[in-house]
Amino acid sequence: MIKTTQWVAICLVLCLSVGTAFSQGEPVAPSNVTAVDTPNDDGSSITIKWDAAAEDTGISGYQILRRIADGELEPIGDLLPAGTTAYVDSAIEGGTAYTYVVRAVSETDATVDSEQTPAVEGTGEWFHTGKTAIFIVMLLFSAAIVWNIYDARSGKDIFVRRIPGLEAVDEAIGRATEMGRSILYVLGLGGVSGAATIAGMTILGQVARRTADYETALRVPCNDPIVLNVVREMVKTAYLDEGRPDAYNEDNIFFLTESQFAYAAGVDGMIIREKPAAIFLQGTFYAESLILAETGNSVGAIQIAGTTSESQLPFFIAACDYTLIGEELFAATAYLSKDPMFLGSIRGQDWGKLLIFAALILGVLLELSGINWITTLLQRVS
């Protein structure tokens, strides 16, 4: 009885050993290997796909081999783990044909190659078909802006929400004129390419028109040479448009320094010495914001600040009379000039924001109901 049991055990061990040997034999060549130009790209990549081998075939990874024209097969990239079914070759040249072979590597380092793919070239596409929805939304958004501009030019009154800081511009300039003091306009530390600096310069253009009419001195210290030249041209044009080119004084717009705190110290010195009646702080500001605002507050000037720097807004709100928060800074030009082009653009943008807000609400409601097509759409186009 014991011998019979031993023979049965020996036979089971031999069967398992033979099965393991067969399962870890030669790996199976990858099948259905294809190489295609990667869709919706600029022609800088080719995508290789194949069917993954079964888990019990002993394959530990795949190596991609590439051939250029009549050259030799060369490995590209690292060894891909088992289960991988695709690889993107992003190191290609446009106009060059490539063929590919996928090599299966077993746990015992045995290898077997797939059939070579037909030659393929990478070409760029004119349109990204996966972003068609974004293109349609962009067209609708542009149409809304164009329609609102046309509507504003037709003479229709465009409502713009009241912005106290901008309504106080005339009051600040009038006070400076009555007191016989200057107006100080500070654009902060941003460069000419900064959105907040550009917005600050457009507001300066509107302020300059009023100072030209009131014959009030307008002082603009700059910390960037390019900003200095742009501001000089803007202010000069504003005075010329108002018919007062003789009132323009180029020396009132000057370069101070590029150093942050040296600039703050220089502006503070001007505030203490000249005691301007009105101070505009419009643009990009950093740690110097509270230093400037507190100094202006100490001399009793009306201060109108505006910035997109969230970390500096609390200081302006605490130390200034009026503060333009975020988008109010960009809406200032339309608010002050009442130009139909700007007013129509603002209302068209608001329509777009309402559409996005409505889509967010609809998406949340659909998700709560178990319908996720909006989420899927956004994930596909992002």
Side-chain angles (χ1 to χ4, degrees):
M1 185 66 178
I2 295 175
K3 291 183 178 180
T4 302
T5 304
Q6 290 175 342
W7 278 110
V8 171
I10 292 171
C11 290
L12 289 174
V13 170
L14 289 174
C15 289
L16 291 173
S17 300
V18 172
T20 302
F22 275 110
S23 65
Q24 295 182 351
E26 291 295 326
V28 179
S31 59
N32 298 326
V33 180
T34 60
V36 296
D37 175 32
T38 303
N40 297 320
D41 73 342
D42 58 354
S44 61
S45 66
I46 294 175
T47 300
I48 304 97
K49 294 183 179 180
W50 63 92
D51 292 340
E55 295 182 358
D56 59 352
T57 56
I59 291 178
S60 61
Y62 297 98
Q63 179 69 59
I64 308 299
L65 305 177
R66 183 179 70 183
R67 186 196 305 274
I68 303 176
D70 296 329
E72 298 293 331
L73 280 173
E74 297 179 352
I76 58 173
D78 299 325
L79 184 67
L80 304 175
T84 304
T85 59
Y87 176 79
V88 177
D89 181 12
S90 57
I92 68 169
E93 296 181 359
T96 303
Y98 298 88
T99 57
Y100 295 87
V101 169
V102 179
R103 173 174 292 171
V105 182
S106 71
E107 297 175 355
T108 59
D109 291 335
T111 61
V112 61
D113 294 346
S114 70
E115 294 183 357
Q116 184 171 280
T117 67
V120 61
E121 296 182 8
T123 57
E125 282 72 33
W126 285 94
F127 301 101
H128 194 308
T129 57
K131 298 185 181 296
T132 305
I134 294 179
F135 179 69
I136 294 173
V137 171
M138 183 189 70
L139 289 179
L140 293 174
F141 182 65
S142 301
I145 292 178
V146 171
W147 167 257
N148 280 284
I149 291 175
Y150 173 80
D151 204 29
R153 284 183 171 177
S154 66
K156 183 177 292 187
D157 185 30
I158 302 296
F159 171 77
V160 180
R161 176 179 60 83
R162 176 178 175 270
I163 303 177
L166 297 177
E167 291 187 349
V169 169
D170 286 333
E171 175 191 348
I173 297 174
R175 178 181 176 183
T177 304
E178 291 175 358
M179 298 177 66
R181 295 183 185 176
S182 63
I183 295 173
L184 183 65
Y185 200 104
V186 182
L187 286 166
L189 302 179
V192 74
S193 61
T197 304
I198 294 174
M201 289 192 293
T202 56
I203 298 174
L204 173 59
Q206 298 300 320
V207 171
R209 291 177 178 272
R210 289 162 170 76
T211 58
D213 291 336
Y214 296 153
E215 299 185 15
T216 306
L218 176 62
R219 303 267 283 166
V220 187
C222 301
N223 88 308
D224 184 281
I226 300 177
V227 171
L228 168 67
N229 289 296
V230 174
V231 168
R232 280 182 172 175
E233 288 299 320
M234 290 185 65
V235 175
K236 183 178 180 179
T237 302
Y239 275 68
L240 185 62
D241 291 342
E242 294 301 309
R244 297 303 310 276
D246 56 305
Y248 171 70
N249 185 357
E250 188 177 85
D251 293 336
N252 283 337
I253 304 170
F254 52 92
F255 176 76
L256 201 57
T257 177
E258 291 183 320
S259 176
Q260 178 183 12
F261 290 106
Y263 177 78
V267 174
D268 283 349
M270 292 176 55
I271 295 174
I272 296 298
R273 291 189 302 271
E274 300 178 11
K275 292 182 172 53
I279 299 175
F280 291 85
L281 303 167
Q282 307 287 330
T284 302
F285 294 88
Y286 300 98
E288 77 286 349
S289 61
L290 186 59
I291 299 174
L292 300 174
E294 279 294 338
T295 305
N297 185 65
S298 68
V299 299
I302 293 180
Q303 296 192 104
I304 302 175
T307 185
T308 55
S309 304
E310 296 89 348
S311 58
Q312 307 307 318
L313 281 172
F315 304 124
F316 282 150
I317 293 172
C320 297
D321 299 283
Y322 303 96
T323 303
L324 305 180
I325 301 174
E327 289 188 343
E328 292 179 346
L329 181 65
F330 302 114
T333 303
Y335 195 95
L336 293 173
S337 67
K338 305 300 182 184
D339 187 283
M341 175 75 74
F342 296 138
L343 291 173
S345 298
I346 287 178
R347 193 169 73 168
Q349 292 172 35
D350 287 343
W351 282 14
K353 294 170 189 174
L354 287 174
L355 179 62
I356 294 173
F357 186 67
L360 289 174
I361 295 177
L362 178 61
V364 171
L365 293 177
L366 290 177
E367 283 289 337
L368 293 176
S369 303
I371 304 172
N372 58 4
W373 68 268
I374 289 184
T375 303
T376 305
L377 175 64
L378 294 176
Q379 289 175 344
R380 186 166 63 248
V381 302
S382 61

